[in-house]
């Protein structure tokens, strides 16, 4: 079923506080990031996990399946503290991290591995300072002049200290570096990345493209929740085609080979209109689902894109992840417009089969629903 509506948003200041509950934590998290990350040509600008929502869903499903619980953290797995939870579970993470997961509201972060900047969104500035005091009482020492703490030499492996479930050590025992800023902790593999993040303005959520994307999610989800997701760039819609598909398939009839290549080229040229950015979300309403929020230059283009996204989902993903389709087009900031398409799973539960299939296809470079290309 398709529900399409136009919603005009009174988001005059693009302030996160103007947004309703569905996007509150996401907007807050993105407003702890610098808008300059939006100039990164990578497909993903930032990663996000709402720990409070994820843990609430786990509690509601008690006794919860640990594997299913971890899947509701998958999109933020590039962030080191989240990866450490995946490696050993919550209890070892809390013991070695010196903090209860319940004290963490969200994780977000940006950058390319191994220089990802991880942001811990905690309960308060006092909680953040308490963690820093705890680390200083362990093996952390001041590094440089920006109140950065570290527990070793940057990027140097230490097999004896290796503990993948420890959020304060790398996969092969590397040191980590951390500093506090208000109610957040900033963590990275090198102190220079932490120092730079301390000095950067925090304004990503107030960027017109991001603010419009958030407005679209708010209009589409109502009282629903965003569990996890990725802030994406237009490059997300350019990288779904596997280059291997354009290699010569081997000996054979050249007419057949040529026809195969032409078919692949034709498919690669199909897609939705170019977008300015967006967010791919694992969402929870009465049932789990996925939301694709993209920002366009005007509402007419956004309406066209919403229909094309639905059609492309039906063509390429509906059999793998059946669900109910809905779309909302929302006017946002500076004349921009967001198209949000949600796919809601057929059954309720902790596991989100729709978002799982999105991530599986994306990892295999087979997720073409948001592919940018020529349109009719």
């Amino acid at each position: 079923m398709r529900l399409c509506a136009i919603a005009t948003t009174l988001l005059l200041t693009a302030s996160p506080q103007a947004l309703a509950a569905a996007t509150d934590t996401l907007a807050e998290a993105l407003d702890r990031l610098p808008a300059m990350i939006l100039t990164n040509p990578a497909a993903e600008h930032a990663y996000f996990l709402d720990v409070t929502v994820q843990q609430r869903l786990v509690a509601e499903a008690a006794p919860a399946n640990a594997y299913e619980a971890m899947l509701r953290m998958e999109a933020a797995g590039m962030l080191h503290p989240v990866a450490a939870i995946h490696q050993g579970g919550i209890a070892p993470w809390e013991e070695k991290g010196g903090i209860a997961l319940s004290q963490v509201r969200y994780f977000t972060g940006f950058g390319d591995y191994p220089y990802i900047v991880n942001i811990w969104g905690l309960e308060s500035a006092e909680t953040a300072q308490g963690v820093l005091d705890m680390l200083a009482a362990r093996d952390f020492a001041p590094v440089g002049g920006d109140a950065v703490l570290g527990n070793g030499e940057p990027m140097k492996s230490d097999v004896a200290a290796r503990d993948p479930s420890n959020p304060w050590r790398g996969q092969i025992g590397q040191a980590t570096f951390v500093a506090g800023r208000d109610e957040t902790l900033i963590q990275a593999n090198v102190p220079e990345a932490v120092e730079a993040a301390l000095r950067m303005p925090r304004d990503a959520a107030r960027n017109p493209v991001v603010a419009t994307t958030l407005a679209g999610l708010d209009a589409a989800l109502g009282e629903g929740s965003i569990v996890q997701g990725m802030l994406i760039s237009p490059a997300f819609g350019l990288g779904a085609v596997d280059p291997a598909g354009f290699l010569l398939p081997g000996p054979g009839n050249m007419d057949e080979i040529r026809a195969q290549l032409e078919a692949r080229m034709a498919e690669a040229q199909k897609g939705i209109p170019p977008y300015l950015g967006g967010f791919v979300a694992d969402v929870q309403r009465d049932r789990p689902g996925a939301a694709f929020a993209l920002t366009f230059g005007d509402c007419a283009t956004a309406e066209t894109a919403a229909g094309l996204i639905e059609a492309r989902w039906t063509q390429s993903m509906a059999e793998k992840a059946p669900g109910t389709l809905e779309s909302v087009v929302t006017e946002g900031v500076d004349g921009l417009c967001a198209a949000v398409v949600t796919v809601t799973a057929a059954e309720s539960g902790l596991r989100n089969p729709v978002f799982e299939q999105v991530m599986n296809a994306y990892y295999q470079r087979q997720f073409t629903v948001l592919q940018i290309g020529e349109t009719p």
Side-chain angles (χ1 to χ4, degrees), residues 228-251:
Q228 58 176 331
M230 302 178 292
L231 184 70
I232 64 170
S233 79
F236 191 92
L238 300 174
V241 180
D242 187 351
F246 293 92
L247 299 177
L248 285 176

Side-chain angles (χ1 to χ4, degrees), residues 232-316:
I232 64 170
S233 79
F236 191 92
L238 300 174
V241 180
D242 187 351
F246 293 92
L247 299 177
L248 285 176
N253 183 287
M254 283 306 299
D255 288 337
E256 293 180 3
I257 292 173
R258 187 177 294 108
Q260 291 176 24
L261 291 175
E262 288 175 352
R264 289 169 183 157
M265 283 296 295
E267 180 60 30
Q269 291 174 347
K270 297 176 182 177
I272 66 175
Y275 44 89
L276 300 172
F279 198 86
V280 176
D282 169 351
V283 300
Q284 184 75 32
R285 291 184 283 186
D286 58 334
R287 301 188 304 278
F292 309 103
L294 304 178
T295 292
F296 297 87
D298 59 80
C299 287
T301 303
E303 286 189 76
T304 298
L308 289 169
I309 292 169
E310 289 196 8
R312 293 181 68 80
W313 176 274
T314 301
Q315 180 183 24
S316 64

Side-chain angles (χ1 to χ4, degrees), residues 29-47:
L30 294 180
D31 211 42
R32 300 302 182 265
L33 306 180
M36 65 175 293
I37 66 173
L38 303 176
T39 64
N40 186 346
E44 302 101 25
H45 282 319
Y47 310 95

Side-chain angles (χ1 to χ4, degrees), residues 2-8 212 216 271-275 292-312 326-332 335-341 369 375-376:
R2 181 181 176 193
L3 303 174
C4 188
I6 299 289
T8 301
T212 299
I272 66 175
Y275 44 89
F292 309 103
L294 304 178
T295 292
F296 297 87
D298 59 80
C299 287
T301 303
E303 286 189 76
T304 298
L308 289 169
I309 292 169
E310 289 196 8
R312 293 181 68 80
E326 301 173 75
S327 64
V328 173
V329 174
T330 307
E331 184 177 348
L336 302 179
C337 216
V340 183
V341 175
V369 174
T375 56

Side-chain angles (χ1 to χ4, degrees), residues 182-194:
D182 300 325
E183 82 293 348
T184 67
L185 295 176
I186 303 171
Q187 178 191 21
N189 287 342
V190 294
E192 293 82 3
V194 178

Side-chain angles (χ1 to χ4, degrees), residues 111-129:
D112 302 313
Y113 183 84
Y115 302 111
I116 291 176
V117 175
N118 307 274
I119 308 294
W120 302 46
L122 305 182
E123 295 174 318
S124 65
E126 290 74 23
T127 301
Q129 186 59 52

